[in-house]
Amino acid sequence: MACSNPWDPAQPTAAGLVLAKCLVAGVVTQEVLDLSAKQAPCFVHLTEVEKIADIRAEINQKSLETEILGLEKETADIAHPYFLTQKCQALQIMNKHLEAVLKEKRTLRQRLMKPLCQENLPIEAIFHRYVAELLTLAVAFIEKLESHLQTIKSIPQIPLTMKNMDNALAKINLLVTETEELAEQILTWRELQKGIHYDNSKITNESDSSFRI
């Protein structure tokens, strides 16, 4: 008897072998087997239900993986090994700097306690001319420092000053208009006075002429 190939896709299952033996022994007939095969659609539905369950499980697994990836993206700057390595390196550098400062603590304390005033700064001879010019500019700046500070202090008041200037300008324009109107009235009054004086003079001359006649 030839040995069956376990990798053969057409090899019958264990249930098929049992049914074949029952068929050979006469326990069941082919008609009964065919009728049972036709009247068992529940197995098909069970297979579909299993497939649906597998698909749902796969979907849930993918959703969980997606949520995990999103959480990793949100916390990448905290929990990602790359960023943790960078932060660890920065902390190590800071720690080394603090250790160096602590080692030089006595020297730093002496330097901080030492006064910095009344010390001469060595300047090369080729720069003496520039230092003299710089001192002249510094003296001029110090002399005008108070006025500069007053100007800086008055900067917040510039909007109010501009508003007051606009109001004063509007008042000046109004006064100019009133002055022009008053000047026109004075000129008109002067012309009327000249006319009245001319009429009076004419009447006087006519009356004198009548008296002479």
Side-chain angles (χ1 to χ4, degrees):
M1 183 176 180
C3 182
S4 61
N5 185 8
W7 304 106
D8 188 3
Q11 184 180 0
T13 62
L17 294 175
V18 171
L19 291 175
K21 291 180 179 180
C22 292
L23 183 63
V24 171
V27 177
V28 294
T29 61
Q30 187 65 39
E31 289 80 5
V32 173
L33 292 177
D34 294 339
L35 184 61
S36 300
K38 292 180 181 179
Q39 292 180 353
C42 59
F43 296 103
V44 178
H45 294 298
L46 287 175
T47 304
E48 293 178 354
V49 169
E50 290 179 356
K51 290 181 179 179
I52 293 173
D54 294 338
I55 292 172
R56 287 180 178 176
E58 185 177 359
I59 292 173
N60 293 332
Q61 182 67 23
K62 297 297 182 183
S63 300
L64 182 60
E65 292 177 358
T66 304
E67 291 179 359
I68 293 174
L69 290 175
L71 184 61
E72 290 180 355
K73 183 178 180 181
E74 292 178 357
T75 60
D77 57 341
I78 300 174
H80 197 276
Y82 174 76
F83 296 102
L84 289 177
T85 303
Q86 288 186 342
K87 292 180 180 180
C88 184
Q89 291 176 355
L91 289 174
Q92 289 177 354
I93 294 171
M94 185 180 296
N95 189 23
K96 290 180 181 179
H97 177 70
L98 291 176
E99 289 178 355
V101 171
L102 291 175
K103 288 180 181 178
E104 301 294 334
K105 181 174 66 175
R106 181 176 298 177
T107 305
L108 291 173
R109 183 178 296 175
Q110 292 177 356
R111 288 178 59 185
L112 292 173
M113 294 175 64
K114 184 179 179 181
L116 298 178
C117 60
Q118 297 179 357
E119 291 187 355
N120 297 323
L121 299 176
I123 300 175
E124 298 181 7
I126 57 175
F127 299 116
H128 286 180
R129 180 170 61 88
Y130 302 107
V131 172
E133 295 177 358
L134 180 61
L135 289 176
T136 304
L137 294 174
V139 170
F141 176 77
I142 293 172
E143 290 177 351
K144 298 180 180 179
L145 180 60
E146 187 66 26
S147 61
H148 293 334
L149 292 176
Q150 292 295 333
T151 303
I152 293 172
K153 290 180 181 178
S154 64
I155 288 176
Q157 300 177 357
I158 288 177
L160 180 61
T161 305
M162 294 296 295
K163 184 178 179 180
N164 293 334
M165 290 179 65
D166 292 338
N167 294 333
L169 183 61
K171 291 180 180 179
I172 291 172
N173 292 331
L174 181 61
L175 291 174
V176 168
T177 303
E178 292 178 353
T179 303
E180 290 177 352
E181 292 178 355
L182 183 59
E184 291 179 357
Q185 292 177 3
I186 291 172
L187 291 174
T188 304
W189 178 80
R190 183 177 293 177
E191 293 295 332
L192 291 174
Q193 292 297 323
K194 286 181 179 180
I196 293 171
H197 180 69
Y198 177 76
D199 293 338
N200 290 334
S201 299
K202 186 176 180 181
I203 293 171
T204 304
N205 291 332
E206 289 179 355
S207 61
D208 291 340
S209 299
S210 63
F211 287 142
R212 289 176 185 176
I213 296 172

